[in-house]
Structures are given as structure tokens and as C-alpha cells.
Amino acid sequence: MVRNSHQPLIDTATAHLNGEVQVRMVFNTLREMTGRVLELKAAKQGKMFDWKAFKTAFEKQYGKLSLDELMAEATKFGMASIEAVRAQRQRQLATFYKRQRAFNRASDHNALIA
């Protein structure tokens, strides 16, 4: 088989998906970081933070932005590359899974006591 200088077939087939996945990754990372900052501010003021309302408002304001536009927003959090966003998202997910395991252990422990 002769190889041409065009994009590999897998890259061609998944190019649209990779772009969409990156957009959602940056979007979700920014939403989590923004929400945590606002949640902390609300707590300092003695207020409850409404994550559901926040997510709705965030989706409305940022949901249609392109990858480049989202990356411009990411620079406000010091993330200047997609790799920096990916690393931040991995940290967020690791924290989430750690909390989820702790919650499940506590739930299992409480079930044993009851």
C-alpha cells in the first residue's frame, strides 16, 4: 500500500470527534474551576452555592464557544495550552474519584452499623 502525505485515516475519521472532545474537556474544566471559586466566595459570605443554577448559567454563557474562545478563557486561570487544561482536568477527576470512594466507604460503613 502506498502511503500518501495526507492525514492518516484514523485522524481523518476522528478529527471532528477530537475537536468536540477537546471543547467539552476545556468547557468542563473551566466550569469546575469557576464554580469552585464562586462556591468559595459564597461560603465566605455565609451563602449556599446553587450548582444547578450555576451550571445552567455557565452553559448558556459559554456553551457555544469555540475551542479557541474557551482557551482564551482558560488563560485567565493560567492555562495557556490544551496540555495544561488536560492536566488540570485529570487533577479534578482524580479528586472527584477520591471523594466518591470515600463517600462510598462511609455509606458502606453506615449500612453495616444500621
Side-chain angles (χ1 to χ4, degrees):
M1 179 177 220
V2 175
R3 193 154 205 190
N4 59 28
S5 62
H6 295 293
Q7 201 174 22
L9 290 175
I10 292 173
D11 291 345
T12 302
T14 61
H16 72 287
L17 179 63
N18 290 338
E20 289 174 22
V21 169
Q22 286 182 342
V23 166
R24 291 316 294 178
M25 178 188 64
V26 175
F27 176 85
N28 290 333
T29 302
L30 290 172
R31 183 181 64 194
E32 179 73 16
M33 293 181 79
T34 303
R36 294 291 173 199
V37 168
L38 294 174
E39 181 182 44
L40 185 59
K41 285 182 179 181
K44 286 181 180 179
Q45 296 173 354
K47 299 178 182 177
M48 291 295 298
F49 183 71
D50 184 350
W51 273 96
K52 188 174 181 177
F54 165 73
K55 286 180 179 182
T56 300
F58 196 88
E59 179 71 40
K60 186 176 180 181
Q61 188 169 1
Y62 296 99
K64 302 288 186 200
L65 296 184
S66 69
L67 181 59
D68 290 339
E69 292 168 322
L70 288 169
M71 285 305 300
E73 295 298 318
T75 61
K76 295 175 183 177
F77 284 103
M79 296 177 291
S81 68
I82 198 74
E83 291 80 19
V85 173
R86 184 175 290 113
Q88 176 61 35
R89 187 66 181 155
Q90 288 173 342
R91 285 189 296 273
Q92 288 174 350
L93 291 173
T95 300
F96 169 78
Y97 292 128
K98 183 179 176 182
R99 288 178 181 159
Q100 192 68 26
R101 284 190 302 272
F103 175 79
N104 289 339
R105 281 193 302 269
S107 295
D108 292 344
H109 177 73
N110 289 338
L112 292 174
I113 293 173

